[in-house]
Amino acid sequence: MPQTPPFAGVFPNNAYNKNLYQTKEDSNYGGLYYHDSTLVSGSLEALIQHLVPTVDYYPDRTYIFTFLLSSRVFIHPYELMSKVCHLCVEHQRLSDPQADKMRMRKIAPKVLQLLTEWTETFPYDFRDERVMRSLKELTQRLASGDELYRKAVQQMTQALIRKLTTLSQYEEALAKISATATDRLAVLKAKPQSVQRDILSICSDPFTLAQQLTHIELERLSYIGPEEFVQAFAQKSPLDNDKNCFSDHKKASNLEAYVAWFNRLSYLVATEICMAVKKKHRARVIEFFIDVARECFNIGNFNSLMAIISGMNMSPVSRLKKTWGKVKTAKFDILEHQMDPSSNFYNYRTALRGATQRSITAHSSREKIVIPFFSLMIKDIYFLNEGCANRLPNGHVNFEKFWELAKQVRELMTWKKVECPFERDRKILQYLLTAPVFSEDALCLASYESEGPENNMEKDRWKSLRSTLLNRV
């Protein structure tokens, strides 16, 4: 049987429309279609069959990842697990107590390996009790015949439970951080005259702040499940049934939390600049964040870099002409050039390739760090999803599309495994995560208070904001 391709494989356009052949082994399941030894399409049933090991077959790891990632577009994970269990039990005769022991010894390790890869790579699927139930039923069958398999099942289950427990603890921590930030903002609104601590009083070293930002980025990134990229954009095809695969669980909560962090950092940067009363201090804060952004670039933390640039480019900050007149902007101009959106972020993509290459050949944890500009990655995946059909006209799954999707997601899965090599500073981290940030209206008002309106439109906006604020009081 032709092999599934490595992720580096190049897929010619419309390859599935020509030079195709059907594998005899899978003809009973609708067939799998290949082009130049690359799997390009097939019926859903045939693809599921291709996932399940036999005595003399085990699927490529690239196929396992790609199919488990993409299958949820067409079938809920609990339904897939049920089908996998059925195939393993019925087709491999695991339900027959008299089954050949030699056959069991050959098939059981392969089934366990498949389940281990599923639980390690897509652990969040097992928050669904239905998926967990099927897993337990199958593993009990496998473990009943041999002490060795019993231990392997136990290790796999314990590792899965640890991952799910850690996820629950992370979600609880996020909720506490959010509540603390809300409380601090309420205090600031109730006592606006109180002196608000600023970032420079917490950390005056740009490199240290860039390191702490990298801690937050890598932690948030590490909890994003690969399936969230599919579930965030999943749309039902007319060829699928009417059931929504994701109606009964959170689709992409960790992905959304990461996007929310980017927005928070942008608003925090703008808040720190706009709340400074003196022009000289505002200029100093701007220059500090420019240096932080440069250190983020050097580390490979492109997400924090872009969030800082976004914050400084927000209208309430960019309009402070007198303040910017005091700033040495040469370094900022270089950073903006690196993140220039023209030609589909060509400069950034070049820098990202350089950081990726450095990561591959790295000799230290620090050199391994690659944190992409996340919103752009989401955009790339969105356009891949929108630009290619999930199914071909004959109803088969367009697997070419999902190879490319898996290639993009798998790269991020590699980057998110890197452990942050920098020492944690709780005080700085707490400030970054919970310090009050101004709303867009509050930023505009603070900006006008710092440097008065310059035209009639700004004057009208200022009056409106002040009137709104007085009415709230």
Side-chain angles (χ1 to χ4, degrees):
M1 181 182 291
Q3 288 297 296
T4 46
F7 283 108
V10 177
F11 308 113
N13 291 333
N14 299 321
Y16 50 79
N17 289 331
K18 53 192 175 183
N19 301 325
L20 304 179
Y21 64 90
Q22 185 174 3
T23 62
K24 293 180 181 178
E25 295 95 323
D26 297 297
S27 58
N28 290 337
Y29 291 87
L32 297 176
Y33 289 84
Y34 292 81
H35 176 70
D36 291 339
S37 298
T38 297
L39 175 61
V40 292
S41 72
S43 69
L44 182 60
E45 289 301 320
L47 292 167
I48 294 172
Q49 172 70 21
H50 197 51
L51 178 71
V52 178
T54 65
V55 171
D56 52 6
Y57 164 76
Y58 189 78
D60 286 356
R61 293 191 71 188
T62 50
Y63 176 77
I64 294 172
F65 178 80
T66 303
F67 184 68
L68 290 178
L69 177 71
S70 59
S71 62
R72 62 201 68 236
V73 173
F74 311 101
I75 183 173
H76 196 289
Y78 84 85
E79 294 174 303
L80 176 61
M81 176 59 83
S82 178
K83 285 179 178 287
V84 167
C85 289
H86 174 76
L87 287 169
C88 287
V89 172
E90 298 302 323
H91 291 202
Q92 312 308 332
R93 299 200 302 274
L94 293 181
S95 59
D96 181 2
Q98 300 303 317
D100 179 29
K101 287 186 177 180
M102 189 63 95
R103 179 182 177 83
M104 176 64 117
R105 286 197 188 105
K106 287 180 179 179
I107 188 64
K110 292 180 179 180
V111 174
L112 277 173
Q113 179 60 29
L114 174 65
L115 296 176
T116 299
E117 291 197 43
W118 193 339
T119 57
E120 286 180 350
T121 312
F122 298 89
Y124 302 166
D125 285 349
F126 297 86
R127 297 184 98 179
D128 186 330
E129 291 180 3
R130 294 166 296 185
V131 182
M132 187 64 91
R133 194 182 308 123
S134 292
L135 176 69
K136 287 178 180 177
E137 288 173 2
L138 181 55
T139 52
Q140 281 172 1
R141 289 180 183 276
L142 295 171
S144 62
D146 194 300
E147 179 64 26
L148 182 65
Y149 303 147
R150 204 160 23 246
K151 287 182 179 178
V153 167
Q154 188 178 33
Q155 289 173 352
M156 178 189 72
T157 305
Q158 288 174 346
L160 175 60
I161 291 171
R162 281 196 299 271
K163 281 194 174 187
L164 296 179
T165 301
T166 303
L167 172 63
S168 295
Q169 291 170 344
Y170 168 71
E171 290 174 342
E172 288 172 9
L174 281 187
K176 287 179 182 177
I177 288 169
S178 178
T180 303
T182 302
D183 291 345
R184 291 189 177 183
L185 183 59
V187 169
L188 184 67
K189 287 179 177 178
K191 299 179 180 178
Q193 72 279 6
S194 63
V195 178
Q196 163 74 10
R197 298 184 76 180
D198 67 357
I199 190 67
L200 291 175
S201 70
I202 302 296
C203 177
S204 58
D205 178 31
F207 184 49
T208 300
L209 190 68
Q211 290 179 334
Q212 300 311 304
L213 287 171
T214 303
H215 263 295
I216 296 171
E217 296 282 354
L218 285 173
E219 181 184 51
R220 298 283 171 108
L221 202 57
S222 71
Y223 284 97
I224 298 174
E227 71 280 356
E228 294 191 44
F229 293 96
V230 172
Q231 291 166 188
F233 304 119
Q235 293 180 348
K236 298 302 292 179
S237 164
L239 292 165
D240 294 325
N241 58 39
D242 295 328
K243 188 168 43 182
N244 189 321
C245 290
F246 315 114
S247 59
D248 57 347
H249 67 101
K250 293 179 182 177
K251 296 202 309 187
S253 57
N254 297 305
L255 187 151
E256 290 164 2
Y258 192 44
V259 172
W261 155 248
F262 178 94
N263 294 334
R264 173 182 167 77
L265 180 55
S266 295
Y267 272 85
L268 179 63
V269 169
T271 299
E272 293 288 336
I273 295 167
C274 289
M275 76 179 185
V277 176
K278 295 183 179 179
K279 178 171 56 180
K280 184 178 179 181
H281 187 61
R282 287 196 299 275
R284 187 180 166 211
V285 174
I286 289 174
E287 289 184 338
F288 173 72
F289 275 118
I290 291 171
D291 288 337
V292 174
R294 185 176 62 169
E295 294 297 346
C296 286
F297 179 85
N298 293 336
I299 289 171
N301 181 356
F302 297 105
N303 203 52
S304 288
L305 162 64
M306 194 58 173
I308 292 169
I309 291 175
S310 297
M312 289 193 283
N313 279 330
M314 289 176 73
S315 178
V317 177
S318 63
R319 66 167 297 278
L320 299 172
K321 294 178 182 176
K322 293 175 183 177
T323 302
W324 281 97
K326 297 283 185 181
V327 175
K328 297 174 184 176
T329 58
K331 288 183 284 188
F332 185 62
D333 293 340
I334 292 170
L335 291 172
E336 281 207 305
H337 175 71
Q338 288 289 347
M339 304 304 285
D340 184 356
S342 61
S343 300
N344 194 20
F345 286 89
Y346 176 82
N347 294 338
Y348 157 71
R349 293 182 191 276
T350 301
L352 180 65
R353 282 196 297 273
T356 302
Q357 191 58 41
R358 180 186 69 183
S359 178
I360 293 169
T361 60
H363 297 291
S364 67
S365 295
R366 180 177 169 177
E367 292 175 327
K368 289 181 181 178
I369 296 172
V370 181
I371 303 171
F373 172 28
F374 195 66
S375 295
L376 184 60
M377 182 180 178
I378 294 292
K379 181 182 173 184
D380 288 344
I381 291 174
Y382 173 79
F383 281 114
L384 170 63
N385 185 62
E386 290 295 303
C388 302
N390 291 333
R391 289 187 186 266
L392 304 181
N394 65 357
H396 280 194
V397 174
N398 178 8
F399 216 71
E400 264 190 308
K401 168 182 176 174
F402 295 114
W403 283 129
E404 185 57 37
L405 174 65
K407 181 174 149 186
Q408 292 188 28
V409 174
R410 190 65 182 252
E411 196 166 40
L412 184 71
M413 294 302 105
T414 301
W415 295 335
K416 79 169 195 168
K417 290 178 182 176
V418 175
E419 289 189 20
C420 190
F422 308 122
E423 189 176 343
R424 293 173 69 91
D425 187 310
R426 282 191 171 187
K427 186 178 177 184
I428 298 172
L429 290 171
Q430 183 75 359
Y431 186 87
L432 290 170
L433 292 168
T434 64
V437 294
F438 290 174
S439 65
E440 194 167 345
D441 285 350
L443 283 172
C444 288
L445 189 58
S447 178
Y448 292 139
E449 296 288 352
S450 298
E451 294 185 21
E454 293 188 344
N455 53 52
N456 289 332
M457 188 173 74
E458 286 193 345
K459 286 177 183 177
D460 290 342
R461 172 80 167 138
W462 187 29
K463 288 177 183 176
S464 174
L465 288 171
R466 291 181 73 183
S467 174
T468 302
L469 183 63
L470 288 172
N471 289 336
R472 285 177 184 170
V473 174

